[in-house]
């Protein structure tokens, strides 16, 4: 087998897995049109939309 091009010091498998989970969450959140286009005018309203969408994603997974 060939050795990895990235030294083991720069690659932490656990951190990569956690980052992957966060990135997949953002991808799912972008499925909600209002979040992907940032339709809401105020930061508070946008935060409420993201919170609601996150809750809906969680509810679907349970």
């Amino acid at each position: 087998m060939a050795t990895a091009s990235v030294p083991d010091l720069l690659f932490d498998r656990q951190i990569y897995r956690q980052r992957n989970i966060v990135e997949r969450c953002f991808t799912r959140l972008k499925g909600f049109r209002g979040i992907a286009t940032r339709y809401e005018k105020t930061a508070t309203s946008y935060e409420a939309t993201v919170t609601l969408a996150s809750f809906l994603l969680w509810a679907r997974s349970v």
Side-chain angles (χ1 to χ4, degrees), residues 17-32:
R17 285 181 182 165
Q18 292 172 350
R19 188 180 122 223
N20 188 14
I21 290 170
V22 171
E23 287 178 359
R24 283 187 280 149
C25 179
F26 278 112
T27 300
R28 289 185 183 123
L29 284 172
K30 286 181 181 179
F32 291 87

Side-chain angles (χ1 to χ4, degrees), residues 6-42:
V6 178
D8 288 336
L9 297 174
L10 300 176
F11 181 75
D12 185 0
R13 192 173 299 273
Q14 186 63 29
I15 291 173
Y16 180 78
R17 285 181 182 165
Q18 292 172 350
R19 188 180 122 223
N20 188 14
I21 290 170
V22 171
E23 287 178 359
R24 283 187 280 149
C25 179
F26 278 112
T27 300
R28 289 185 183 123
L29 284 172
K30 286 181 181 179
F32 291 87
R33 187 178 208 173
I35 294 172
T37 59
R38 192 153 190 322
Y39 183 74
E40 303 298 328
K41 301 291 185 206
T42 64

